[in-house]
PDB file of all heavy atoms in Angstrom:
ATOM      1  N   CYS A 528     -74.986  29.498 -11.018  1.00  0.00           N
ATOM      2  CA  CYS A 528     -74.300  28.437 -11.726  1.00  0.00           C
ATOM      3  C   CYS A 528     -73.946  28.946 -13.071  1.00  0.00           C
ATOM      4  O   CYS A 528     -72.804  28.653 -13.566  1.00  0.00           O
ATOM      5  CB  CYS A 528     -75.165  27.237 -11.763  1.00  0.00           C
ATOM      6  SG  CYS A 528     -75.325  26.380 -10.147  1.00  0.00           S
ATOM      7  N   MET A 529     -74.895  29.616 -13.788  1.00  0.00           N
ATOM      8  CA  MET A 529     -74.581  30.101 -15.147  1.00  0.00           C
ATOM      9  C   MET A 529     -73.477  31.058 -15.110  1.00  0.00           C
ATOM     10  O   MET A 529     -72.606  31.140 -15.994  1.00  0.00           O
ATOM     11  CB  MET A 529     -75.887  30.724 -15.728  1.00  0.00           C
ATOM     12  CG  MET A 529     -76.987  29.675 -16.067  1.00  0.00           C
ATOM     13  SD  MET A 529     -78.479  30.552 -16.658  1.00  0.00           S
ATOM     14  CE  MET A 529     -77.863  31.306 -18.132  1.00  0.00           C
ATOM     15  N   SER A 530     -73.448  32.008 -14.067  1.00  0.00           N
ATOM     16  CA  SER A 530     -72.369  32.994 -13.977  1.00  0.00           C
ATOM     17  C   SER A 530     -71.086  32.270 -13.735  1.00  0.00           C
ATOM     18  O   SER A 530     -70.082  32.651 -14.433  1.00  0.00           O
ATOM     19  CB  SER A 530     -72.673  33.909 -12.820  1.00  0.00           C
ATOM     20  OG  SER A 530     -73.872  34.568 -12.997  1.00  0.00           O
ATOM     21  N   VAL A 531     -70.965  31.324 -12.872  1.00  0.00           N
ATOM     22  CA  VAL A 531     -69.798  30.604 -12.637  1.00  0.00           C
ATOM     23  C   VAL A 531     -69.367  29.867 -13.878  1.00  0.00           C
ATOM     24  O   VAL A 531     -68.155  29.857 -14.281  1.00  0.00           O
ATOM     25  CB  VAL A 531     -69.976  29.685 -11.445  1.00  0.00           C
ATOM     26  CG1 VAL A 531     -68.667  28.782 -11.329  1.00  0.00           C
ATOM     27  CG2 VAL A 531     -70.148  30.399 -10.141  1.00  0.00           C
ATOM     28  N   GLY A 532     -70.299  29.243 -14.565  1.00  0.00           N
ATOM     29  CA  GLY A 532     -69.998  28.516 -15.783  1.00  0.00           C
ATOM     30  C   GLY A 532     -69.482  29.397 -16.902  1.00  0.00           C
ATOM     31  O   GLY A 532     -68.566  29.124 -17.627  1.00  0.00           O
ATOM     32  N   LEU A 533     -70.146  30.568 -17.035  1.00  0.00           N
ATOM     33  CA  LEU A 533     -69.761  31.538 -18.074  1.00  0.00           C
ATOM     34  C   LEU A 533     -68.374  32.069 -17.794  1.00  0.00           C
ATOM     35  O   LEU A 533     -67.547  32.277 -18.688  1.00  0.00           O
ATOM     36  CB  LEU A 533     -70.776  32.754 -18.088  1.00  0.00           C
ATOM     37  CG  LEU A 533     -70.467  33.788 -19.188  1.00  0.00           C
ATOM     38  CD1 LEU A 533     -70.530  33.129 -20.589  1.00  0.00           C
ATOM     39  CD2 LEU A 533     -71.544  34.899 -19.076  1.00  0.00           C
ATOM     40  N   ILE A 534     -68.006  32.424 -16.531  1.00  0.00           N
ATOM     41  CA  ILE A 534     -66.727  32.901 -16.164  1.00  0.00           C
ATOM     42  C   ILE A 534     -65.687  31.834 -16.435  1.00  0.00           C
ATOM     43  O   ILE A 534     -64.671  32.157 -16.974  1.00  0.00           O
ATOM     44  CB  ILE A 534     -66.727  33.374 -14.666  1.00  0.00           C
ATOM     45  CG1 ILE A 534     -67.552  34.544 -14.450  1.00  0.00           C
ATOM     46  CG2 ILE A 534     -65.298  33.624 -14.191  1.00  0.00           C
ATOM     47  CD1 ILE A 534     -67.842  34.926 -13.022  1.00  0.00           C
ATOM     48  N   SER A 535     -66.020  30.658 -16.058  1.00  0.00           N
ATOM     49  CA  SER A 535     -65.068  29.538 -16.275  1.00  0.00           C
ATOM     50  C   SER A 535     -64.781  29.309 -17.753  1.00  0.00           C
ATOM     51  O   SER A 535     -63.668  29.042 -18.204  1.00  0.00           O
ATOM     52  CB  SER A 535     -65.644  28.179 -15.708  1.00  0.00           C
ATOM     53  OG  SER A 535     -65.777  28.355 -14.266  1.00  0.00           O
ATOM     54  N   TYR A 536     -65.903  29.490 -18.563  1.00  0.00           N
ATOM     55  CA  TYR A 536     -65.750  29.329 -20.065  1.00  0.00           C
ATOM     56  C   TYR A 536     -64.812  30.382 -20.576  1.00  0.00           C
ATOM     57  O   TYR A 536     -63.962  30.147 -21.469  1.00  0.00           O
ATOM     58  CB  TYR A 536     -67.105  29.325 -20.686  1.00  0.00           C
ATOM     59  CG  TYR A 536     -67.119  29.510 -22.178  1.00  0.00           C
ATOM     60  CD1 TYR A 536     -66.781  28.459 -23.005  1.00  0.00           C
ATOM     61  CD2 TYR A 536     -67.363  30.778 -22.772  1.00  0.00           C
ATOM     62  CE1 TYR A 536     -66.718  28.577 -24.437  1.00  0.00           C
ATOM     63  CE2 TYR A 536     -67.285  30.893 -24.118  1.00  0.00           C
ATOM     64  CZ  TYR A 536     -66.962  29.862 -24.893  1.00  0.00           C
ATOM     65  OH  TYR A 536     -66.881  29.970 -26.250  1.00  0.00           O
ATOM     66  N   GLN A 537     -65.094  31.673 -20.179  1.00  0.00           N
ATOM     67  CA  GLN A 537     -64.294  32.764 -20.617  1.00  0.00           C
ATOM     68  C   GLN A 537     -62.814  32.643 -20.290  1.00  0.00           C
ATOM     69  O   GLN A 537     -61.942  32.857 -21.097  1.00  0.00           O
ATOM     70  CB  GLN A 537     -64.833  34.119 -20.121  1.00  0.00           C
ATOM     71  CG  GLN A 537     -66.251  34.440 -20.610  1.00  0.00           C
ATOM     72  CD  GLN A 537     -66.204  34.734 -22.141  1.00  0.00           C
ATOM     73  OE1 GLN A 537     -65.145  34.945 -22.720  1.00  0.00           O
ATOM     74  NE2 GLN A 537     -67.400  34.756 -22.778  1.00  0.00           N
ATOM     75  N   ILE A 538     -62.612  32.166 -19.043  1.00  0.00           N
ATOM     76  CA  ILE A 538     -61.160  31.947 -18.562  1.00  0.00           C
ATOM     77  C   ILE A 538     -60.551  30.838 -19.377  1.00  0.00           C
ATOM     78  O   ILE A 538     -59.409  30.986 -19.857  1.00  0.00           O
ATOM     79  CB  ILE A 538     -61.154  31.657 -17.059  1.00  0.00           C
ATOM     80  CG1 ILE A 538     -61.578  32.868 -16.266  1.00  0.00           C
ATOM     81  CG2 ILE A 538     -59.769  31.174 -16.641  1.00  0.00           C
ATOM     82  CD1 ILE A 538     -61.785  32.544 -14.774  1.00  0.00           C
ATOM     83  N   GLY A 539     -61.281  29.778 -19.590  1.00  0.00           N
ATOM     84  CA  GLY A 539     -60.745  28.639 -20.374  1.00  0.00           C
ATOM     85  C   GLY A 539     -60.516  29.014 -21.787  1.00  0.00           C
ATOM     86  O   GLY A 539     -59.460  28.695 -22.397  1.00  0.00           O
ATOM     87  N   LYS A 540     -61.424  29.780 -22.396  1.00  0.00           N
ATOM     88  CA  LYS A 540     -61.322  30.299 -23.733  1.00  0.00           C
ATOM     89  C   LYS A 540     -60.101  31.088 -23.937  1.00  0.00           C
ATOM     90  O   LYS A 540     -59.292  30.955 -24.860  1.00  0.00           O
ATOM     91  CB  LYS A 540     -62.545  31.013 -24.232  1.00  0.00           C
ATOM     92  CG  LYS A 540     -62.583  31.541 -25.603  1.00  0.00           C
ATOM     93  CD  LYS A 540     -63.764  32.286 -25.945  1.00  0.00           C
ATOM     94  CE  LYS A 540     -63.698  32.931 -27.297  1.00  0.00           C
ATOM     95  NZ  LYS A 540     -64.948  33.761 -27.614  1.00  0.00           N
ATOM     96  N   ALA A 541     -59.894  32.073 -23.024  1.00  0.00           N
ATOM     97  CA  ALA A 541     -58.779  33.026 -23.043  1.00  0.00           C
ATOM     98  C   ALA A 541     -57.390  32.203 -22.891  1.00  0.00           C
ATOM     99  O   ALA A 541     -56.452  32.508 -23.611  1.00  0.00           O
ATOM    100  CB  ALA A 541     -58.840  34.018 -21.921  1.00  0.00           C
ATOM    101  N   GLY A 542     -57.456  31.188 -22.040  1.00  0.00           N
ATOM    102  CA  GLY A 542     -56.247  30.411 -21.785  1.00  0.00           C
ATOM    103  C   GLY A 542     -55.964  29.602 -23.074  1.00  0.00           C
ATOM    104  O   GLY A 542     -54.741  29.503 -23.439  1.00  0.00           O
ATOM    105  N   LEU A 543     -56.896  29.090 -23.746  1.00  0.00           N
ATOM    106  CA  LEU A 543     -56.661  28.264 -24.966  1.00  0.00           C
ATOM    107  C   LEU A 543     -56.157  29.154 -26.095  1.00  0.00           C
ATOM    108  O   LEU A 543     -55.257  28.791 -26.852  1.00  0.00           O
ATOM    109  CB  LEU A 543     -57.970  27.593 -25.469  1.00  0.00           C
ATOM    110  CG  LEU A 543     -58.443  26.396 -24.605  1.00  0.00           C
ATOM    111  CD1 LEU A 543     -59.809  25.841 -25.045  1.00  0.00           C
ATOM    112  CD2 LEU A 543     -57.395  25.196 -24.748  1.00  0.00           C
ATOM    113  N   ILE A 544     -56.703  30.379 -26.151  1.00  0.00           N
ATOM    114  CA  ILE A 544     -56.293  31.308 -27.187  1.00  0.00           C
ATOM    115  C   ILE A 544     -54.850  31.689 -27.047  1.00  0.00           C
ATOM    116  O   ILE A 544     -53.980  31.710 -27.906  1.00  0.00           O
ATOM    117  CB  ILE A 544     -57.197  32.590 -27.227  1.00  0.00           C
ATOM    118  CG1 ILE A 544     -58.596  32.238 -27.775  1.00  0.00           C
ATOM    119  CG2 ILE A 544     -56.559  33.670 -28.136  1.00  0.00           C
ATOM    120  CD1 ILE A 544     -59.612  33.340 -27.629  1.00  0.00           C
TER     121      ILE A 544
END
Side-chain angles (χ1 to χ4, degrees):
C528 290
M529 289 176 63
S530 298
V531 173
L533 183 59
I534 293 171
S535 298
Y536 167 75
Q537 293 294 344
I538 293 173
K540 179 182 176 183
L543 286 173
I544 291 174

